[in-house]
Amino acid sequence: MAILWFKALHIFFMVAWMAGIFYLPRLFVYHASTDSQDVKNEFKVMERRLWFFVTPFAVLTLVFGGLLIHSYGLAWFKASHWLHVKLVLLLAVYGYHFYLFKLLKQFERDENTHSSKFYRFLNEAPVLVLLAIVVLAVVKPM
């Protein structure tokens, strides 16, 4: 029964985390589009609060995912090739998460060098990675 709780919490925290890291680059789009320092300062507060709000979800996603792997056991882990690919993609998502933090820090210092078009792409690209992760977890094609 514990495994179902681990799975439910893993999915819940993943959805909450993804919602936040899909929204943060959207804030960057608007931030990069404005020339008003007052508006930029408001975005800085929103971006920082959002990043620190969703980061615990990233940690809890990892914790409950680890508990799931542990619960299923080493033999299952070794045989689950789909999971190995999923974990590589997951590393990319965590890299993306911390890249957003780097960008957030650049915005905080008013050192943004990217256009709003760059942030639009940054906002949309990870959707494909998330799709691949979900397909691997549900369909288990390997």
Side-chain angles (χ1 to χ4, degrees):
M1 190 60 132
I3 201 164
L4 295 177
W5 280 104
F6 295 158
K7 192 178 291 189
L9 291 169
H10 176 69
I11 292 168
F12 170 77
F13 289 120
M14 181 275 300
V15 169
W17 175 35
M18 289 299 111
I21 66 171
F22 286 157
Y23 185 55
L24 185 55
R26 180 54 49 186
L27 290 176
F28 291 165
V29 169
Y30 302 134
H31 193 155
S33 298
T34 187
D35 293 324
S36 166
Q37 191 59 46
D38 288 338
V39 173
K40 287 180 181 185
N41 291 340
E42 287 180 40
F43 278 120
K44 289 176 190 180
V45 171
M46 292 168 62
E47 292 157 357
R48 183 172 181 78
R49 285 181 179 168
L50 180 59
W51 196 87
F52 283 103
F53 178 72
V54 301
T55 296
F57 299 147
V59 172
L60 290 167
T61 299
L62 185 64
V63 167
F64 286 104
L67 287 170
L68 275 170
I69 291 170
H70 182 322
S71 296
Y72 279 110
L74 186 58
W76 173 85
F77 178 75
K78 287 180 180 179
S80 299
H81 301 295
W82 64 270
L83 181 59
H84 304 156
V85 176
K86 178 188 171 200
L87 291 173
V88 169
L89 292 174
L90 187 59
L91 286 174
V93 175
Y94 278 96
Y96 176 80
H97 180 88
F98 287 101
Y99 179 63
L100 293 178
F101 183 71
K102 177 185 174 202
L103 294 171
L104 180 142
K105 289 304 204 179
Q106 289 175 350
F107 273 115
E108 280 184 353
R109 296 186 305 266
D110 292 319
E111 295 174 356
N112 173 48
T113 58
H114 301 292
S115 69
S116 62
K117 191 179 258 188
F118 169 82
Y119 293 111
R120 278 190 183 88
F121 173 76
L122 192 68
N123 180 229
E124 295 162 2
V127 171
L128 298 176
V129 176
L130 178 60
L131 174 62
I133 288 171
V134 170
V135 167
L136 286 164
V138 174
V139 177
K140 297 174 179 55
M142 301 171 201

